[in-house]
Amino acid sequence: MSNISGRYAVAGIKASDVDGFITNQPLNDAHRSYAVRMANMARMHPNYATDLALGGATPIAMVQNAVMAIEAGMANTVMCVHARKRGTPDPSPGNPIRHGDEHWEEPWGHFSAVANHAFAAQRHMYEFGTTSEDLAHVAVATRKHACMNNNATMRKPMTIADHQASRFICEPLRLFDCALESDGGGAVIVTSAERARDFPKKPVAILGMGQHHPHFSLMDAPSLTTLGGKKSSELAYKMAGLNPKDMNFAEIYDCFTITTMITLEDYGFCKKGEGKDFVKNGRIEVGGELPVNTHGGLLSQAHIEGMLHVTEAVRQLRGNEVEPERQVKNAKAGIVSGHGGSLCMHASLILGAL
C-alpha cells in the first residue's frame, strides 16, 4: 500500500485517475482476484484488473499487460505494483503458491531455485570452461553499484577473494552467487504518451517488449545455457527497431550470477560462451561498455523479483534521479530482463528517454 500511495504522490494523481491495476500473487498466501482486493483497499475502482504469477518475469509482464490494456481501450492509466515479503517471517495464514511439478521432482531432492540454477552453472562450465571465479566478477561489479546506492541492502565492498571464500550453497554456486531474500516493493504507472505529458515527472517511452517460455520443468529444457531470453530479446529489439549496441545499460535479472552471464549472451551482448570474459575488466560497471544492474540488483540491493530493475531503468533514463556516481551518462535506451521459474519463463523490456 505504501508503494501505491507513493506513486500517487510522484505522479501527481489521485486514485480516481487510475483505471487499471495489476499486481503479483502473494508467494505464501495465494488469493483469487488479488488485484481486485488490493485495488479496493487503495480506493481504486478499475475498469481493468489482473494479477500475474510468472516469477521473476512478472514485473515486466505487468508492464506489457498494461500496454495491451491501454492499446485495447480497456484502460487509460494503469498502476503496476509488485511486492515481496521474504526477508522476515510472513504471518499470512495461507499456503505457498504451487510450482506444479512437486510430485515429479521434489521427491528426488530437486526442490530449490539454487539447485535449478546450479544445473545451468555446471553445464555452462562444462560447455565453455567457465569457472567460479568468472562468476565472481558479476557479483563484485553488482556489489560495487550497491555501494553507491543509498537504498541498497549490501553496501560492504566485495572482492574476488571474498567471493571465492564464501561457502558453497549448491555447488558450483557460492553464497555470493545467490540473491538476497528481501521485504519490499516497487510500482510504476503506465499510460499513453499523450496523457504522460500532463504528469509532473518526465515520462519514459516503452519501445519494445517480448516474452518466451521454452519449457516448464527443468527436466524438459532443450538447453541449460540458452534460455528464453534469446527469443524474448529478439522480439523486443525488433519491436523497438534497435539492437544490443544501442543499449546504454542493462538491468539483468540476477537471481544468481550465472543468470546474469547467460542472459548477457542470450541478449546478444557477446557470443554464447563468451560471457565469462565479457563481465571482466570493468566492462559491466558504471563507466564501462555496458553498465549492468546499476542499482545493485537482486544480488546486492534487494530481491523484489525484478521490480526494482524496472524502476531503476526508468530513473536512469530520466536522469538526475540516482546518486551521481552511478548515473549512466547520456543514457538514451536500456533493456530490462525478467526470468522466472525453473529457468523457464522470460520477459524483456526496452525503455527509452524522451
Side-chain angles (χ1 to χ4, degrees), residues 171-240:
E171 203 166 349
L173 297 178
R174 299 177 180 273
L175 176 65
F176 290 154
D177 289 308
C178 303
L180 304 170
E181 290 281 25
S182 308
D183 296 346
V188 294
I189 291 175
V190 182
T191 190
S192 65
E194 294 77 14
R195 177 148 168 67
R197 296 190 185 101
D198 298 329
F199 284 29
K201 284 280 188 177
K202 179 181 177 182
V204 167
I206 298 169
L207 302 178
M209 46 192 197
Q211 288 189 29
H212 187 59
H213 316 293
H215 62 275
F216 178 70
S217 167
L218 192 70
M219 301 299 103
D220 296 325
S223 170
L224 293 178
T225 55
T226 297
L227 303 175
K230 185 177 187 300
K231 179 67 173 178
S232 179
S233 64
E234 288 172 353
L235 293 170
Y237 289 135
K238 182 178 180 181
M239 183 182 293

Side-chain angles (χ1 to χ4, degrees), residues 132-142 160 163 276 279-281 284-285:
S132 174
E133 188 168 317
D134 294 332
L135 297 177
H137 288 271
V138 174
V140 170
T142 305
I160 299 295
H163 175 278
K276 63 183 184 298
V279 299
K280 297 177 181 176
N281 302 315
I284 62 171
E285 296 176 9

Side-chain angles (χ1 to χ4, degrees), residues 63 204-208 310 313-314 317 332-336 349-353:
V63 174
V204 167
I206 298 169
L207 302 178
V310 178
V314 170
L317 291 165
K332 301 299 182 186
I335 194 165
V336 189
L349 185 67
I350 295 176
L351 301 177

Side-chain angles (χ1 to χ4, degrees), residues 35-266:
V36 175
R37 178 188 178 190
M38 292 300 297
N40 181 259
M41 291 173 66
R43 303 294 185 265
M44 296 180 199
H45 305 287
N47 297 329
Y48 174 79
T50 192
D51 41 79
L52 303 176
L54 286 174
T58 303
I60 292 176
M62 287 181 186
V63 174
Q64 295 171 343
N65 273 260
V67 170
M68 290 187 285
I70 293 167
E71 287 291 310
M74 296 181 69
N76 295 308
T77 302
V78 182
M79 180 174 286
C80 303
V81 181
H82 192 101
R84 181 178 168 98
K85 183 172 175 59
R86 300 281 285 184
T88 56
D90 189 342
S92 302
N95 296 309
I97 194 167
R98 287 189 59 210
H99 295 273
D101 52 12
E102 294 87 346
H103 300 307
W104 310 109
E105 297 185 1
E106 289 188 5
W108 310 102
H110 183 212
F111 54 79
S112 68
V114 66
N116 288 338
H117 291 78
F119 273 121
Q122 288 279 24
R123 188 66 193 180
H124 205 277
M125 291 175 173
Y126 174 78
E127 290 186 19
F128 307 115
T130 308
T131 66
S132 174
E133 188 168 317
D134 294 332
L135 297 177
H137 288 271
V138 174
V140 170
T142 305
R143 181 64 62 85
K144 184 175 181 179
H145 297 156
C147 289
M148 305 175 192
N149 183 355
N150 291 328
N151 195 35
T153 303
M154 307 298 289
R155 302 192 65 203
K156 180 182 177 181
M158 182 196 301
T159 65
I160 299 295
D162 292 333
H163 175 278
Q164 291 293 282
S166 67
R167 70 184 186 275
F168 282 116
I169 301 300
C170 185
E171 203 166 349
L173 297 178
R174 299 177 180 273
L175 176 65
F176 290 154
D177 289 308
C178 303
L180 304 170
E181 290 281 25
S182 308
D183 296 346
V188 294
I189 291 175
V190 182
T191 190
S192 65
E194 294 77 14
R195 177 148 168 67
R197 296 190 185 101
D198 298 329
F199 284 29
K201 284 280 188 177
K202 179 181 177 182
V204 167
I206 298 169
L207 302 178
M209 46 192 197
Q211 288 189 29
H212 187 59
H213 316 293
H215 62 275
F216 178 70
S217 167
L218 192 70
M219 301 299 103
D220 296 325
S223 170
L224 293 178
T225 55
T226 297
L227 303 175
K230 185 177 187 300
K231 179 67 173 178
S232 179
S233 64
E234 288 172 353
L235 293 170
Y237 289 135
K238 182 178 180 181
M239 183 182 293
L242 300 172
N243 61 58
K245 291 184 179 180
D246 296 315
M247 299 300 106
N248 300 121
F249 61 87
E251 309 297 348
I252 301 295
Y253 195 88
D254 56 331
C255 49
F256 301 94
T257 51
I258 187 60
T259 315
T260 304
M261 189 174 290
I262 290 174
T263 306
L264 287 169
E265 295 172 349
D266 286 346

